[in-house]
Amino acid sequence: MIADAHPSQIELWKTELAVAKASDLCQQILAFTGKGTIVRQSLSLHEFLRQVVADARLRLAPTPEVEIVAQSGEITLTADALLLRRLVTNLLLNAAEAYPRAGGRVVVEYGCSTADRVWMKVTDFGVGMAADMVETAFEPFASTKGPGRGLGLSAVRGIAITHGGGATLTSTVAGGTTVLVYLVNTLSHDAGCTPPPSSGPTI
């Protein structure tokens, strides 16, 4: 039997960790393309969003004000927590980068349009996007920020598709951008569901 501190045992642990990370990465890539498997768990959507926003503030540069607005009653969502965190974080990072200087405002709205269909909408009031960029916004590596960027919205759409939903984007130059995400919720309930507002929130 190899002692715990033996170099061979340490190398074995490193190999096992590398394999686990590679497997996790493969699952993430599949999820981003909408073809992966997910592990659903019950999440209080408001509390989940509050925590993700709090954690993301450390990464938002410049730092905008972020407001969470509930358009329905309390929602318990069944979703893959890790993937959903990445979806929301990517939307927040994209929204923050719409402001060339510190400040600005980002509004995160959520609700349910039916008992089994949940939506989230992230709106910024920044520089916006031209029509040709809107058409390709969800394509891999499409970006207004230079080469090597642009996986954020592609991942958002893939994660939404993996959860049985999808994503849409509207934007105008100097008028801000709104990304609307739909997810299928396996917990059917009546939370006073209403469709998402057709226009962005009031500034």
Side-chain angles (χ1 to χ4, degrees):
M1 186 177 201
I2 303 175
D4 288 349
H6 194 282
S8 297
Q9 183 66 59
I10 295 175
E11 290 303 315
L12 179 59
W13 287 339
K14 288 181 179 180
T15 301
E16 291 175 344
L17 180 60
V19 170
K21 287 182 176 180
S23 176
D24 180 62
L25 178 60
C26 290
Q27 289 300 321
Q28 292 174 32
I29 293 173
L30 286 171
F32 290 170
T33 59
K35 299 178 181 178
T37 57
I38 60 177
V39 179
R40 290 183 181 267
Q41 64 185 88
S42 296
L43 304 168
S44 167
L45 187 54
H46 185 84
E47 178 58 27
F48 180 83
L49 290 174
R50 188 196 66 78
Q51 186 61 57
V52 174
V53 168
D55 293 343
R57 286 186 189 279
L58 300 175
R59 300 176 57 189
L60 299 182
T63 307
E65 172 192 354
V66 181
E67 179 184 359
I68 301 175
V69 179
Q71 298 289 357
S72 301
E74 177 63 28
I75 295 176
T76 300
L77 173 66
T78 55
D80 188 303
L82 177 60
L83 292 179
L84 190 61
R85 172 176 288 272
R86 288 186 175 141
L87 181 152
V88 176
T89 300
N90 284 352
L91 289 178
L92 291 173
L93 292 174
N94 274 277
E97 290 179 344
Y99 296 99
R101 294 177 295 276
R105 179 168 174 250
V106 175
V107 178
V108 181
E109 297 176 272
Y110 72 90
C112 53
S113 54
T114 63
D116 62 352
R117 194 169 172 85
V118 172
W119 57 267
M120 291 182 290
K121 188 164 79 164
V122 177
T123 300
D124 68 68
F125 307 93
V127 297
M129 301 166 60
D132 58 333
M133 286 303 303
V134 172
E135 293 178 0
T136 60
F138 290 109
E139 294 180 6
F141 301 109
S143 176
T144 61
K145 308 177 187 73
R149 306 289 294 278
L151 279 175
L153 289 179
S154 177
V156 164
R157 183 177 64 175
I159 293 171
I161 292 173
T162 301
H163 284 79
T168 61
L169 181 146
T170 57
S171 185
T172 56
V173 175
T177 300
T178 295
V179 179
L180 176 62
V181 174
Y182 277 103
L183 306 171
V184 170
N185 191 10
T186 59
L187 288 178
S188 296
H189 56 83
D190 181 8
C193 296
T194 57
S198 57
S199 60
T202 302
I203 299 178

